[in-house]
Amino acid sequence: MPERWFNSESPFWSAMGRIADIVVLNLVSALLSIPLISVGAVLVALHDTARQSLAGTGGSVLRIFFGSLRSNWRQATATWLIVAPLGAMLAAWWLWFDVPELTILKTLASVVFVVVFPFWWAVLARFQNPLWRNLVNTLVVTFASLPLALGVAAIDLAIIGLTVAVAMWLPQALFLLLMLGYPLVVFAHTPLLERALGPLLQRASAAPAADPR
């Protein structure tokens, strides 16, 4: 039994290594997101890193992260300049435009934005295409695999609920959740996102319509 505890390949140490990787990614991504314009590239790099790390490819998480950040900077930033204003407009709509007749429309638009949001970055992390094609692919993948997309949203709700519960009843552990940050969410999303992208990856392999990585 003691040998298992000190075996670096044991499930315990593998889990500890994964947690350490997520903490490092959280610190680096938080620092690099300070300029705000870089948030899109950081999100793509996080999704790329989570995918390759879970698959056991690509080397260290920092090597994957910074390599993806460099190669996806232009496309991810262009996408962020579209997605960020949409999110800001929805937030402003909720905060300053209280029109009861538009509540249903506002709620529907917000739900669509939240559900689609993770898929933007997962698609960019897997495909080198013109911006418009990646945007179209994102919408197609999201709604063609709606159960998986709702599963991704359920993960978000579960992590938010866990964070609130910890803050209320076990505030001493809140620091750990904050140290894990958004990369924890990305790692939790990745298996479902990869399943949703499966059909698109297969079609891309059969025809040069999309350029998968």
Side-chain angles (χ1 to χ4, degrees):
M1 181 67 71
E3 293 180 356
R4 293 183 180 180
W5 283 101
F6 292 101
N7 182 359
S8 60
E9 297 183 357
S10 68
F12 174 78
W13 289 112
S14 295
M16 291 299 100
R18 181 75 69 206
I19 290 173
D21 287 342
I22 292 174
V23 169
V24 169
L25 286 172
N26 183 44
L27 295 175
V28 171
S29 60
L31 181 64
L32 293 177
S33 296
I34 292 175
L36 294 182
I37 190 67
S38 60
V39 171
V42 168
L43 288 171
V44 173
L46 283 176
H47 282 81
D48 207 6
T49 304
R51 174 180 64 84
Q52 294 192 51
S53 179
L54 291 173
T57 62
S60 71
V61 292
L62 287 181
R63 179 180 178 180
I64 302 170
F65 180 87
F66 283 108
S68 179
L69 195 72
R70 287 192 298 271
S71 62
N72 292 299
W73 177 269
R74 182 177 298 178
Q75 184 172 228
T77 302
T79 304
W80 177 244
L81 291 176
I82 296 173
V83 174
L86 289 175
M89 285 189 292
L90 281 173
W93 198 0
W94 281 103
L95 290 172
W96 295 303
F97 298 97
D98 187 15
V99 181
E101 293 80 6
L102 296 178
T103 299
I104 294 177
L105 179 61
K106 180 167 58 175
T107 302
L108 181 60
S110 301
V111 169
V112 170
F113 182 85
V114 169
V115 169
V116 172
F117 187 84
F119 286 86
W120 295 112
W121 319 112
V123 168
L124 263 66
R126 295 306 302 269
F127 297 95
Q128 281 282 7
N129 282 322
L131 176 61
W132 68 268
R133 184 178 293 277
N134 275 333
L135 294 176
V136 170
N137 284 343
T138 297
L139 296 174
V140 169
V141 168
T142 303
F143 293 104
S145 55
L146 193 56
L148 294 174
L150 294 177
V152 171
I155 290 173
D156 292 340
L157 291 175
I159 293 178
I160 292 172
L162 175 63
T163 303
V164 172
V166 168
M168 293 178 61
W169 294 302
L170 193 63
Q172 301 88 340
L174 184 60
F175 178 75
L176 175 59
L177 281 177
L178 294 178
M179 287 297 293
L180 295 172
Y182 191 69
L184 172 64
V185 179
V186 175
F187 271 78
H189 285 170
T190 296
L192 294 181
L193 292 173
E194 284 298 291
R195 285 182 59 189
L197 288 172
L200 186 60
L201 289 166
Q202 291 175 0
R203 289 197 297 271
S205 299
D211 182 13
R213 295 184 238 194

